[in-house]
Amino acid sequence: MRKIVLTFGLIAGAMLSAMMLATLPFMDQIGFDKGMFIGYTGMVLAFLMVYFGVRSYRDNVADGQIGFGRAFVVGLAITFVASACYVATWQFIYYKVTPDFAEKYTVYAVEKARKSGASAERIAAQQKEISEMMAIYKNPLANIAITFLEPLPVGLLFTLVTAALLGRKQSRRSTETAS
């Protein structure tokens, strides 16, 4: 199981990292809204590796049969490996490539609020909220924990769907031929 989890988790992690490295340093040109769309699209593509990894485990290790629970565990392990790569890449980018990310994001959020017609009080409250969040982000452990939570829901969704699709103790075809 370890080899499959590492192989597919690292492939997914490399995809996540490549997408982040290709977009985050150019957020000024891309824009935060488009960047978020590109980022989550990259996550969806990367987490397709959960399906392929669980299928590989089922076909090559589990003799073509896998239960929902085991499929879920394999998929979750792949998700954790990929998410760890995502976190490591973000730490590098945040601290080395774009150390002014917090300031740029604050400017973007305030400008977006202004354009939407928010009141001065609402803008000030939002600016304070972002400043507090960015202060938390300065703590590396909090930064890691928060960043880990970004791809996790996408990976968890793919894990659940994959386990539901592939997680059967016995395929229908083998049951029908046995009858």
Side-chain angles (χ1 to χ4, degrees):
M1 180 171 106
R2 182 178 301 157
K3 181 180 178 187
I4 289 172
V5 166
L6 286 176
T7 299
F8 287 93
L10 290 173
I11 291 169
M15 292 169 72
L16 290 170
S17 296
M19 185 64 73
M20 193 184 309
L21 286 167
T23 57
L24 264 172
F26 309 105
M27 216 33 89
D28 293 337
Q29 294 85 8
I30 296 171
F32 282 94
D33 288 334
K34 288 179 186 171
M36 191 178 302
F37 176 77
I38 292 168
Y40 279 103
T41 301
M43 284 182 197
V44 167
L45 294 173
F47 283 120
L48 285 172
M49 291 300 112
V50 170
Y51 174 83
F52 294 117
V54 173
R55 190 178 75 181
S56 176
Y57 179 85
R58 180 196 68 189
D59 295 346
N60 298 317
V61 176
D63 295 325
Q65 298 179 5
I66 189 170
F68 177 88
R70 190 62 165 169
F72 182 79
V73 168
V74 173
L76 195 60
I78 293 168
T79 295
F80 280 128
V81 171
S83 296
C85 294
Y86 179 89
V87 169
T89 303
W90 172 249
Q91 297 307 302
F92 170 73
I93 290 172
Y94 185 75
Y95 289 108
K96 300 292 182 194
V97 178
T98 59
D100 58 346
F101 178 82
E103 293 79 22
K104 287 180 179 180
Y105 183 77
T106 303
V107 168
Y108 154 78
V110 168
E111 190 58 35
K112 185 176 179 181
R114 276 195 190 112
K115 286 181 182 177
S116 73
S119 66
E121 295 85 25
R122 176 67 191 126
I123 293 171
Q126 185 178 16
Q127 199 166 9
K128 182 181 180 210
E129 185 180 311
I130 293 170
S131 294
E132 290 170 355
M133 182 65 172
M134 293 306 168
I136 293 170
Y137 246 61
K138 288 184 181 180
N139 176 343
L141 293 178
N143 190 320
I144 289 168
I146 292 166
T147 304
F148 196 79
L149 293 175
E150 289 175 21
L152 197 59
V154 179
L156 188 57
L157 178 65
F158 270 83
T159 298
L160 286 169
V161 169
T162 296
L165 289 173
L166 298 178
R168 297 186 197 122
K169 284 290 183 192
Q170 211 173 20
S171 72
R172 288 187 185 136
R173 207 179 306 156
S174 64
T175 307
E176 290 171 1
T177 35
S179 304

